[in-house]
Amino acid sequence: MHKSKYVISTAILVASSIAPLASAASYSDTVAPFNVTSDDEITLSNAIVDARSSKQLAGITIQPGATLTLNLEGDNYIYGGTCAAGILVSPKYNNKTYDAAGSAKLIIKGSGNLTVLGGRSQNSEENSSFQCGTGAGIGGNGSYSEWDGRGSASDGVWDWSYGPDFGEVTIDSDFTGTLNATGGKTDSVQGRNSNQNDFDGGAGIGTGGTVAYEPSPDYHETLNGKINIKNGTINASGLAEGASDRVGGGAGIGTGSGRGDGGIALNNVEINISGGTIKANGGMLASGIGGGSNQNSGFINISGGKIVSKYGPYEESNPTPSGAGIGAGDCGTVQKINITGGDITATGLGSAGIGGGYEETAVASAIYSENDDYDRAKKADGDESGIINISGANTKVLAIGESIDDYDPVDRPGYRVKSGSGIGSGAPYQYSDNWQPVYYKINITNKANVTAIGGKYANAIGTGGTYFERLDDKIVKEYGAAITIDDTVTLFAANGSTEVPALPQTNEFDDFRGITPVSFTSSSKYLVEKLGDDITAKKTVPGNDSTNASYSLSGTTMTATVEGNEATTHETTANYTDGNNFALISGKEAEPDTPDTPDTPDTPDTPDTPDTPDAPDTPNSPKTYDNIIDYIKLSIASIAGLTVAVIGFIRSKKH
């Protein structure tokens, strides 16, 4: 396979695998967009690659099957054209089936900096026969509508090569620079249905934005791609400057916005973060890391790095909840989140800090949707629910689910509060008692250090909450979570209301599952609870007799103690000191039993003394001579005698 190296800078080498490039003598000069068709290594050095004057053209296009290693030096800028990504990492399909191995790959290295911006969307007012969502900064193009001639709902033809998927993006461990990646600018013009946001935003890093109305038989219902972040300083956003506040946005890292008609696709995007300093902000109604507006979380694995991830903004003219800090956008739920390392701060608005979005709608990987009735919910398989695992001695997590006053004087008059949990689900959206969003499994284990803050009427860990003034002060309370906590972790959990516990209690929706909302047993450590102004903790968790526990508060420092045991101190905030709080604190470790003294082993028998061997015969003592002269005389005599004998023998033979 072809592999070569090119340097794109003020002195540019042009090769056959890329389009001719203009000299980037200064930041005001630009480099023509180019296409990578085979494995290449390219260095950008103080270059600008600009496709903004084009349609359907990325700044850099990596074709299926090709791998581009992009080395960065100095300050570089890449801009995608209308509908296109800044850097398109092209997907491959085999008969509409996504082919991960055959899709394009991008590897970013070097010590330089890169700012990359996805292309803007195009709406129906500009061109009634051609519309598209925005491109991702790095990843997929904005998808195209059926009006552009590539397919229609009537004929069931859809060319998936124009879908929002992407291949694999890796920010290498050798990258020490700064990457700024932003999805393209979205438009406010809506399409055939005035209630739809049709031209939606792409992710900073991830899939492009979608544009759809009613899905055709071949609608692109699953989003695909893979993101690996190992090092560097990463600033990723799904909200371009000047984007409309009426259009769904993409995640900072993850997917673009979902279908404009309020439906969601199945999110198969995998996000792996093992290092780096990362700041991720969602676009409108989107998560910081995970799903865009109307999108699920996908599969998120975090094992290292310093991460600050926050929801996208909401509509200023009509305040509504937004997405999770890490997890789903609004209307989306969690598929799976694993955190095994890193220093993480995640904030959601009406959605969870870490977990699901407001008004969660389940898909195949979860268990039920907003339209499912209670009888169907009873048959749901909990093993297919949203799963959040947090573990590891090198894991520090602060997860905050903020509250919002969600007020719509026309369609839904009355004062409302929507609050996300710190870890778990977002606020439910419903007026009836049968509202059943997604059931969660949450595991916090193996020495993890976790602080979870839930909003008003929400659990700190568990489920979000909603309050409706017009429903006789009705509070939609927790609706299904199974939390496992082991006694190796450091945990502080608080919420903003005494009407809902910080950790969930058994409720009517748990009865048919046979679950225990909180699983924790330890004879030496305690889950200590503060209930409003009552500083005397109560025994609320099976196996934990913490009746002698208490809290004290000094400023924003809250200290939990158990009689005779070392205290645990946590920083809290004034907004949550009047609510309910849980802390996991160390108690006296049980003294181990003194092991029995082992039996003294039997003394082995003394071995028999071996027989004394017979003494060897004493050899004859050699003759001694008085002096050396006698010895010589004797030797001469012997020789003489032998000589005479020999002569006599010879003579006898002659006769």
Side-chain angles (χ1 to χ4, degrees), residues 549-583:
S550 64
Y551 276 89
S552 64
L553 182 64
S554 175
T556 59
T557 301
M558 184 170 287
T559 302
T561 59
V562 172
E563 187 177 88
N565 297 317
E566 183 179 353
T568 297
T569 300
H570 299 273
E571 286 293 319
T572 183
T573 66
N575 292 335
Y576 299 102
T577 55
D578 293 332
N580 294 324
N581 303 278
F582 266 97

PDB file of all heavy atoms in Angstrom, residues 549-583:
ATOM      1  N   ALA A 549     -24.809   8.651  63.635  1.00  0.00           N
ATOM      2  CA  ALA A 549     -24.094   9.527  62.712  1.00  0.00           C
ATOM      3  C   ALA A 549     -24.691  10.927  62.733  1.00  0.00           C
ATOM      4  O   ALA A 549     -25.853  11.129  63.076  1.00  0.00           O
ATOM      5  CB  ALA A 549     -24.158   8.968  61.307  1.00  0.00           C
ATOM      6  N   SER A 550     -23.887  11.892  62.370  1.00  0.00           N
ATOM      7  CA  SER A 550     -24.379  13.265  62.318  1.00  0.00           C
ATOM      8  C   SER A 550     -23.582  14.071  61.311  1.00  0.00           C
ATOM      9  O   SER A 550     -22.503  13.664  60.879  1.00  0.00           O
ATOM     10  CB  SER A 550     -24.280  13.923  63.692  1.00  0.00           C
ATOM     11  OG  SER A 550     -22.915  14.019  64.092  1.00  0.00           O
ATOM     12  N   TYR A 551     -24.146  15.234  60.951  1.00  0.00           N
ATOM     13  CA  TYR A 551     -23.506  16.180  60.055  1.00  0.00           C
ATOM     14  C   TYR A 551     -23.235  17.483  60.798  1.00  0.00           C
ATOM     15  O   TYR A 551     -23.958  17.861  61.714  1.00  0.00           O
ATOM     16  CB  TYR A 551     -24.414  16.517  58.869  1.00  0.00           C
ATOM     17  CG  TYR A 551     -24.358  15.563  57.724  1.00  0.00           C
ATOM     18  CD1 TYR A 551     -25.187  14.455  57.677  1.00  0.00           C
ATOM     19  CD2 TYR A 551     -23.498  15.781  56.667  1.00  0.00           C
ATOM     20  CE1 TYR A 551     -25.149  13.583  56.604  1.00  0.00           C
ATOM     21  CE2 TYR A 551     -23.455  14.922  55.589  1.00  0.00           C
ATOM     22  CZ  TYR A 551     -24.286  13.829  55.565  1.00  0.00           C
ATOM     23  OH  TYR A 551     -24.253  12.971  54.498  1.00  0.00           O
ATOM     24  N   SER A 552     -22.218  18.176  60.339  1.00  0.00           N
ATOM     25  CA  SER A 552     -22.031  19.562  60.743  1.00  0.00           C
ATOM     26  C   SER A 552     -21.669  20.357  59.503  1.00  0.00           C
ATOM     27  O   SER A 552     -21.098  19.820  58.559  1.00  0.00           O
ATOM     28  CB  SER A 552     -20.928  19.692  61.796  1.00  0.00           C
ATOM     29  OG  SER A 552     -19.677  19.293  61.253  1.00  0.00           O
ATOM     30  N   LEU A 553     -22.048  21.635  59.483  1.00  0.00           N
ATOM     31  CA  LEU A 553     -21.832  22.456  58.315  1.00  0.00           C
ATOM     32  C   LEU A 553     -21.169  23.757  58.726  1.00  0.00           C
ATOM     33  O   LEU A 553     -21.625  24.453  59.627  1.00  0.00           O
ATOM     34  CB  LEU A 553     -23.169  22.756  57.625  1.00  0.00           C
ATOM     35  CG  LEU A 553     -23.117  23.582  56.339  1.00  0.00           C
ATOM     36  CD1 LEU A 553     -22.366  22.833  55.266  1.00  0.00           C
ATOM     37  CD2 LEU A 553     -24.534  23.905  55.866  1.00  0.00           C
ATOM     38  N   SER A 554     -20.053  24.075  58.072  1.00  0.00           N
ATOM     39  CA  SER A 554     -19.348  25.323  58.310  1.00  0.00           C
ATOM     40  C   SER A 554     -19.050  25.947  56.951  1.00  0.00           C
ATOM     41  O   SER A 554     -18.177  25.465  56.224  1.00  0.00           O
ATOM     42  CB  SER A 554     -18.053  25.086  59.090  1.00  0.00           C
ATOM     43  OG  SER A 554     -17.317  26.287  59.225  1.00  0.00           O
ATOM     44  N   GLY A 555     -19.783  27.002  56.612  1.00  0.00           N
ATOM     45  CA  GLY A 555     -19.637  27.562  55.284  1.00  0.00           C
ATOM     46  C   GLY A 555     -20.084  26.563  54.242  1.00  0.00           C
ATOM     47  O   GLY A 555     -21.222  26.114  54.247  1.00  0.00           O
ATOM     48  N   THR A 556     -19.200  26.204  53.345  1.00  0.00           N
ATOM     49  CA  THR A 556     -19.525  25.190  52.339  1.00  0.00           C
ATOM     50  C   THR A 556     -18.889  23.843  52.657  1.00  0.00           C
ATOM     51  O   THR A 556     -18.899  22.946  51.829  1.00  0.00           O
ATOM     52  CB  THR A 556     -19.040  25.652  50.950  1.00  0.00           C
ATOM     53  OG1 THR A 556     -17.631  25.855  50.991  1.00  0.00           O
ATOM     54  CG2 THR A 556     -19.738  26.925  50.523  1.00  0.00           C
ATOM     55  N   THR A 557     -18.326  23.722  53.848  1.00  0.00           N
ATOM     56  CA  THR A 557     -17.685  22.468  54.237  1.00  0.00           C
ATOM     57  C   THR A 557     -18.624  21.663  55.122  1.00  0.00           C
ATOM     58  O   THR A 557     -19.036  22.120  56.188  1.00  0.00           O
ATOM     59  CB  THR A 557     -16.368  22.724  54.989  1.00  0.00           C
ATOM     60  OG1 THR A 557     -15.488  23.458  54.148  1.00  0.00           O
ATOM     61  CG2 THR A 557     -15.710  21.404  55.376  1.00  0.00           C
ATOM     62  N   MET A 558     -18.981  20.476  54.664  1.00  0.00           N
ATOM     63  CA  MET A 558     -19.862  19.606  55.416  1.00  0.00           C
ATOM     64  C   MET A 558     -19.062  18.405  55.911  1.00  0.00           C
ATOM     65  O   MET A 558     -18.320  17.781  55.159  1.00  0.00           O
ATOM     66  CB  MET A 558     -21.023  19.141  54.537  1.00  0.00           C
ATOM     67  CG  MET A 558     -22.044  18.293  55.264  1.00  0.00           C
ATOM     68  SD  MET A 558     -23.495  18.026  54.244  1.00  0.00           S
ATOM     69  CE  MET A 558     -24.245  19.650  54.304  1.00  0.00           C
ATOM     70  N   THR A 559     -19.211  18.101  57.199  1.00  0.00           N
ATOM     71  CA  THR A 559     -18.468  16.998  57.803  1.00  0.00           C
ATOM     72  C   THR A 559     -19.443  15.963  58.321  1.00  0.00           C
ATOM     73  O   THR A 559     -20.373  16.291  59.069  1.00  0.00           O
ATOM     74  CB  THR A 559     -17.586  17.498  58.958  1.00  0.00           C
ATOM     75  OG1 THR A 559     -16.690  18.486  58.463  1.00  0.00           O
ATOM     76  CG2 THR A 559     -16.780  16.353  59.553  1.00  0.00           C
ATOM     77  N   ALA A 560     -19.269  14.732  57.923  1.00  0.00           N
ATOM     78  CA  ALA A 560     -20.093  13.623  58.395  1.00  0.00           C
ATOM     79  C   ALA A 560     -19.267  12.761  59.337  1.00  0.00           C
ATOM     80  O   ALA A 560     -18.119  12.444  59.043  1.00  0.00           O
ATOM     81  CB  ALA A 560     -20.580  12.788  57.220  1.00  0.00           C
ATOM     82  N   THR A 561     -19.854  12.405  60.470  1.00  0.00           N
ATOM     83  CA  THR A 561     -19.135  11.577  61.442  1.00  0.00           C
ATOM     84  C   THR A 561     -20.037  10.463  61.938  1.00  0.00           C
ATOM     85  O   THR A 561     -21.261  10.573  61.941  1.00  0.00           O
ATOM     86  CB  THR A 561     -18.669  12.407  62.654  1.00  0.00           C
ATOM     87  OG1 THR A 561     -19.801  12.993  63.291  1.00  0.00           O
ATOM     88  CG2 THR A 561     -17.709  13.504  62.239  1.00  0.00           C
ATOM     89  N   VAL A 562     -19.421   9.397  62.362  1.00  0.00           N
ATOM     90  CA  VAL A 562     -20.104   8.324  63.066  1.00  0.00           C
ATOM     91  C   VAL A 562     -19.412   8.188  64.412  1.00  0.00           C
ATOM     92  O   VAL A 562     -18.184   8.283  64.502  1.00  0.00           O
ATOM     93  CB  VAL A 562     -20.042   7.000  62.282  1.00  0.00           C
ATOM     94  CG1 VAL A 562     -20.590   5.848  63.106  1.00  0.00           C
ATOM     95  CG2 VAL A 562     -20.828   7.130  60.988  1.00  0.00           C
ATOM     96  N   GLU A 563     -20.206   8.002  65.451  1.00  0.00           N
ATOM     97  CA  GLU A 563     -19.694   7.977  66.811  1.00  0.00           C
ATOM     98  C   GLU A 563     -18.451   7.094  66.926  1.00  0.00           C
ATOM     99  O   GLU A 563     -18.477   5.907  66.615  1.00  0.00           O
ATOM    100  CB  GLU A 563     -20.782   7.447  67.755  1.00  0.00           C
ATOM    101  CG  GLU A 563     -20.438   7.526  69.219  1.00  0.00           C
ATOM    102  CD  GLU A 563     -21.611   7.048  70.050  1.00  0.00           C
ATOM    103  OE1 GLU A 563     -21.689   5.830  70.294  1.00  0.00           O
ATOM    104  OE2 GLU A 563     -22.462   7.884  70.418  1.00  0.00           O
ATOM    105  N   GLY A 564     -17.360   7.730  67.340  1.00  0.00           N
ATOM    106  CA  GLY A 564     -16.125   6.986  67.563  1.00  0.00           C
ATOM    107  C   GLY A 564     -15.304   6.734  66.331  1.00  0.00           C
ATOM    108  O   GLY A 564     -14.254   6.106  66.407  1.00  0.00           O
ATOM    109  N   ASN A 565     -15.755   7.239  65.180  1.00  0.00           N
ATOM    110  CA  ASN A 565     -15.041   6.962  63.938  1.00  0.00           C
ATOM    111  C   ASN A 565     -14.567   8.254  63.282  1.00  0.00           C
ATOM    112  O   ASN A 565     -15.107   9.335  63.512  1.00  0.00           O
ATOM    113  CB  ASN A 565     -15.944   6.201  62.963  1.00  0.00           C
ATOM    114  CG  ASN A 565     -16.331   4.853  63.505  1.00  0.00           C
ATOM    115  OD1 ASN A 565     -15.491   4.147  64.049  1.00  0.00           O
ATOM    116  ND2 ASN A 565     -17.601   4.506  63.395  1.00  0.00           N
ATOM    117  N   GLU A 566     -13.549   8.105  62.439  1.00  0.00           N
ATOM    118  CA  GLU A 566     -12.972   9.255  61.761  1.00  0.00           C
ATOM    119  C   GLU A 566     -13.996   9.910  60.833  1.00  0.00           C
ATOM    120  O   GLU A 566     -14.749   9.240  60.143  1.00  0.00           O
ATOM    121  CB  GLU A 566     -11.752   8.814  60.958  1.00  0.00           C
ATOM    122  CG  GLU A 566     -11.016   9.945  60.259  1.00  0.00           C
ATOM    123  CD  GLU A 566      -9.806   9.441  59.512  1.00  0.00           C
ATOM    124  OE1 GLU A 566      -9.476   8.249  59.656  1.00  0.00           O
ATOM    125  OE2 GLU A 566      -9.201  10.240  58.788  1.00  0.00           O
ATOM    126  N   ALA A 567     -14.028  11.244  60.811  1.00  0.00           N
ATOM    127  CA  ALA A 567     -14.982  11.980  59.991  1.00  0.00           C
ATOM    128  C   ALA A 567     -14.527  12.047  58.547  1.00  0.00           C
ATOM    129  O   ALA A 567     -13.342  11.946  58.233  1.00  0.00           O
ATOM    130  CB  ALA A 567     -15.160  13.388  60.546  1.00  0.00           C
ATOM    131  N   THR A 568     -15.490  12.246  57.652  1.00  0.00           N
ATOM    132  CA  THR A 568     -15.216  12.511  56.250  1.00  0.00           C
ATOM    133  C   THR A 568     -15.739  13.897  55.914  1.00  0.00           C
ATOM    134  O   THR A 568     -16.885  14.225  56.208  1.00  0.00           O
ATOM    135  CB  THR A 568     -15.889  11.463  55.355  1.00  0.00           C
ATOM    136  OG1 THR A 568     -15.336  10.189  55.646  1.00  0.00           O
ATOM    137  CG2 THR A 568     -15.658  11.776  53.887  1.00  0.00           C
ATOM    138  N   THR A 569     -14.910  14.730  55.306  1.00  0.00           N
ATOM    139  CA  THR A 569     -15.266  16.115  55.008  1.00  0.00           C
ATOM    140  C   THR A 569     -15.471  16.286  53.507  1.00  0.00           C
ATOM    141  O   THR A 569     -14.697  15.768  52.704  1.00  0.00           O
ATOM    142  CB  THR A 569     -14.164  17.077  55.489  1.00  0.00           C
ATOM    143  OG1 THR A 569     -14.016  16.932  56.897  1.00  0.00           O
ATOM    144  CG2 THR A 569     -14.526  18.520  55.180  1.00  0.00           C
ATOM    145  N   HIS A 570     -16.514  17.015  53.135  1.00  0.00           N
ATOM    146  CA  HIS A 570     -16.824  17.265  51.731  1.00  0.00           C
ATOM    147  C   HIS A 570     -17.139  18.732  51.531  1.00  0.00           C
ATOM    148  O   HIS A 570     -17.755  19.378  52.375  1.00  0.00           O
ATOM    149  CB  HIS A 570     -18.036  16.446  51.278  1.00  0.00           C
ATOM    150  CG  HIS A 570     -17.833  14.975  51.378  1.00  0.00           C
ATOM    151  ND1 HIS A 570     -17.266  14.245  50.370  1.00  0.00           N
ATOM    152  CD2 HIS A 570     -18.103  14.099  52.367  1.00  0.00           C
ATOM    153  CE1 HIS A 570     -17.200  12.974  50.732  1.00  0.00           C
ATOM    154  NE2 HIS A 570     -17.710  12.866  51.943  1.00  0.00           N
ATOM    155  N   GLU A 571     -16.718  19.253  50.381  1.00  0.00           N
ATOM    156  CA  GLU A 571     -17.127  20.592  49.977  1.00  0.00           C
ATOM    157  C   GLU A 571     -18.479  20.483  49.284  1.00  0.00           C
ATOM    158  O   GLU A 571     -18.675  19.663  48.390  1.00  0.00           O
ATOM    159  CB  GLU A 571     -16.103  21.196  49.013  1.00  0.00           C
ATOM    160  CG  GLU A 571     -14.817  21.631  49.685  1.00  0.00           C
ATOM    161  CD  GLU A 571     -15.017  22.803  50.617  1.00  0.00           C
ATOM    162  OE1 GLU A 571     -15.772  23.731  50.256  1.00  0.00           O
ATOM    163  OE2 GLU A 571     -14.432  22.789  51.711  1.00  0.00           O
ATOM    164  N   THR A 572     -19.423  21.288  49.689  1.00  0.00           N
ATOM    165  CA  THR A 572     -20.733  21.294  49.058  1.00  0.00           C
ATOM    166  C   THR A 572     -21.001  22.700  48.526  1.00  0.00           C
ATOM    167  O   THR A 572     -20.099  23.516  48.444  1.00  0.00           O
ATOM    168  CB  THR A 572     -21.825  20.844  50.052  1.00  0.00           C
ATOM    169  OG1 THR A 572     -23.071  20.810  49.379  1.00  0.00           O
ATOM    170  CG2 THR A 572     -21.906  21.772  51.253  1.00  0.00           C
ATOM    171  N   THR A 573     -22.217  22.982  48.145  1.00  0.00           N
ATOM    172  CA  THR A 573     -22.562  24.330  47.686  1.00  0.00           C
ATOM    173  C   THR A 573     -23.802  24.791  48.433  1.00  0.00           C
ATOM    174  O   THR A 573     -24.606  23.982  48.899  1.00  0.00           O
ATOM    175  CB  THR A 573     -22.850  24.350  46.178  1.00  0.00           C
ATOM    176  OG1 THR A 573     -24.035  23.588  45.925  1.00  0.00           O
ATOM    177  CG2 THR A 573     -21.698  23.792  45.376  1.00  0.00           C
ATOM    178  N   ALA A 574     -23.964  26.098  48.526  1.00  0.00           N
ATOM    179  CA  ALA A 574     -25.099  26.652  49.273  1.00  0.00           C
ATOM    180  C   ALA A 574     -26.433  26.188  48.698  1.00  0.00           C
ATOM    181  O   ALA A 574     -27.411  26.073  49.416  1.00  0.00           O
ATOM    182  CB  ALA A 574     -25.016  28.163  49.283  1.00  0.00           C
ATOM    183  N   ASN A 575     -26.481  25.921  47.396  1.00  0.00           N
ATOM    184  CA  ASN A 575     -27.739  25.529  46.763  1.00  0.00           C
ATOM    185  C   ASN A 575     -28.235  24.166  47.227  1.00  0.00           C
ATOM    186  O   ASN A 575     -29.407  23.845  47.058  1.00  0.00           O
ATOM    187  CB  ASN A 575     -27.570  25.495  45.243  1.00  0.00           C
ATOM    188  CG  ASN A 575     -27.361  26.877  44.661  1.00  0.00           C
ATOM    189  OD1 ASN A 575     -27.777  27.856  45.247  1.00  0.00           O
ATOM    190  ND2 ASN A 575     -26.711  26.938  43.512  1.00  0.00           N
ATOM    191  N   TYR A 576     -27.370  23.365  47.778  1.00  0.00           N
ATOM    192  CA  TYR A 576     -27.757  21.994  48.083  1.00  0.00           C
ATOM    193  C   TYR A 576     -27.662  21.666  49.569  1.00  0.00           C
ATOM    194  O   TYR A 576     -27.919  20.545  49.960  1.00  0.00           O
ATOM    195  CB  TYR A 576     -26.901  21.028  47.267  1.00  0.00           C
ATOM    196  CG  TYR A 576     -27.084  21.231  45.791  1.00  0.00           C
ATOM    197  CD1 TYR A 576     -26.143  21.920  45.042  1.00  0.00           C
ATOM    198  CD2 TYR A 576     -28.239  20.797  45.156  1.00  0.00           C
ATOM    199  CE1 TYR A 576     -26.332  22.136  43.692  1.00  0.00           C
ATOM    200  CE2 TYR A 576     -28.438  21.018  43.801  1.00  0.00           C
ATOM    201  CZ  TYR A 576     -27.478  21.684  43.074  1.00  0.00           C
ATOM    202  OH  TYR A 576     -27.679  21.913  41.745  1.00  0.00           O
ATOM    203  N   THR A 577     -27.316  22.621  50.399  1.00  0.00           N
ATOM    204  CA  THR A 577     -27.180  22.319  51.828  1.00  0.00           C
ATOM    205  C   THR A 577     -28.523  22.140  52.510  1.00  0.00           C
ATOM    206  O   THR A 577     -28.591  21.578  53.601  1.00  0.00           O
ATOM    207  CB  THR A 577     -26.394  23.440  52.538  1.00  0.00           C
ATOM    208  OG1 THR A 577     -27.053  24.692  52.274  1.00  0.00           O
ATOM    209  CG2 THR A 577     -24.968  23.493  52.043  1.00  0.00           C
ATOM    210  N   ASP A 578     -29.606  22.587  51.880  1.00  0.00           N
ATOM    211  CA  ASP A 578     -30.926  22.434  52.486  1.00  0.00           C
ATOM    212  C   ASP A 578     -31.629  21.161  52.016  1.00  0.00           C
ATOM    213  O   ASP A 578     -32.753  20.886  52.435  1.00  0.00           O
ATOM    214  CB  ASP A 578     -31.809  23.644  52.153  1.00  0.00           C
ATOM    215  CG  ASP A 578     -31.301  24.909  52.804  1.00  0.00           C
ATOM    216  OD1 ASP A 578     -30.662  24.795  53.864  1.00  0.00           O
ATOM    217  OD2 ASP A 578     -31.527  25.995  52.243  1.00  0.00           O
ATOM    218  N   GLY A 579     -31.002  20.431  51.134  1.00  0.00           N
ATOM    219  CA  GLY A 579     -31.615  19.212  50.636  1.00  0.00           C
ATOM    220  C   GLY A 579     -31.176  18.002  51.435  1.00  0.00           C
ATOM    221  O   GLY A 579     -30.825  18.082  52.608  1.00  0.00           O
ATOM    222  N   ASN A 580     -31.207  16.854  50.776  1.00  0.00           N
ATOM    223  CA  ASN A 580     -30.775  15.608  51.404  1.00  0.00           C
ATOM    224  C   ASN A 580     -29.361  15.278  50.974  1.00  0.00           C
ATOM    225  O   ASN A 580     -28.957  15.562  49.853  1.00  0.00           O
ATOM    226  CB  ASN A 580     -31.707  14.458  51.001  1.00  0.00           C
ATOM    227  CG  ASN A 580     -33.101  14.647  51.550  1.00  0.00           C
ATOM    228  OD1 ASN A 580     -33.261  15.148  52.650  1.00  0.00           O
ATOM    229  ND2 ASN A 580     -34.105  14.258  50.782  1.00  0.00           N
ATOM    230  N   ASN A 581     -28.614  14.650  51.860  1.00  0.00           N
ATOM    231  CA  ASN A 581     -27.220  14.336  51.578  1.00  0.00           C
ATOM    232  C   ASN A 581     -26.870  12.950  52.089  1.00  0.00           C
ATOM    233  O   ASN A 581     -27.351  12.525  53.131  1.00  0.00           O
ATOM    234  CB  ASN A 581     -26.290  15.355  52.249  1.00  0.00           C
ATOM    235  CG  ASN A 581     -26.593  16.774  51.832  1.00  0.00           C
ATOM    236  OD1 ASN A 581     -26.168  17.218  50.791  1.00  0.00           O
ATOM    237  ND2 ASN A 581     -27.362  17.482  52.650  1.00  0.00           N
ATOM    238  N   PHE A 582     -26.040  12.286  51.343  1.00  0.00           N
ATOM    239  CA  PHE A 582     -25.464  11.015  51.774  1.00  0.00           C
ATOM    240  C   PHE A 582     -23.954  11.134  51.711  1.00  0.00           C
ATOM    241  O   PHE A 582     -23.404  11.762  50.807  1.00  0.00           O
ATOM    242  CB  PHE A 582     -25.876   9.866  50.839  1.00  0.00           C
ATOM    243  CG  PHE A 582     -27.076   9.115  51.284  1.00  0.00           C
ATOM    244  CD1 PHE A 582     -28.317   9.411  50.770  1.00  0.00           C
ATOM    245  CD2 PHE A 582     -26.961   8.097  52.214  1.00  0.00           C
ATOM    246  CE1 PHE A 582     -29.438   8.703  51.159  1.00  0.00           C
ATOM    247  CE2 PHE A 582     -28.076   7.383  52.613  1.00  0.00           C
ATOM    248  CZ  PHE A 582     -29.324   7.682  52.089  1.00  0.00           C
ATOM    249  N   ALA A 583     -23.286  10.514  52.645  1.00  0.00           N
ATOM    250  CA  ALA A 583     -21.826  10.415  52.588  1.00  0.00           C
ATOM    251  C   ALA A 583     -21.422   9.006  52.979  1.00  0.00           C
ATOM    252  O   ALA A 583     -22.009   8.404  53.869  1.00  0.00           O
ATOM    253  CB  ALA A 583     -21.167  11.424  53.514  1.00  0.00           C
TER     254      ALA A 583
END
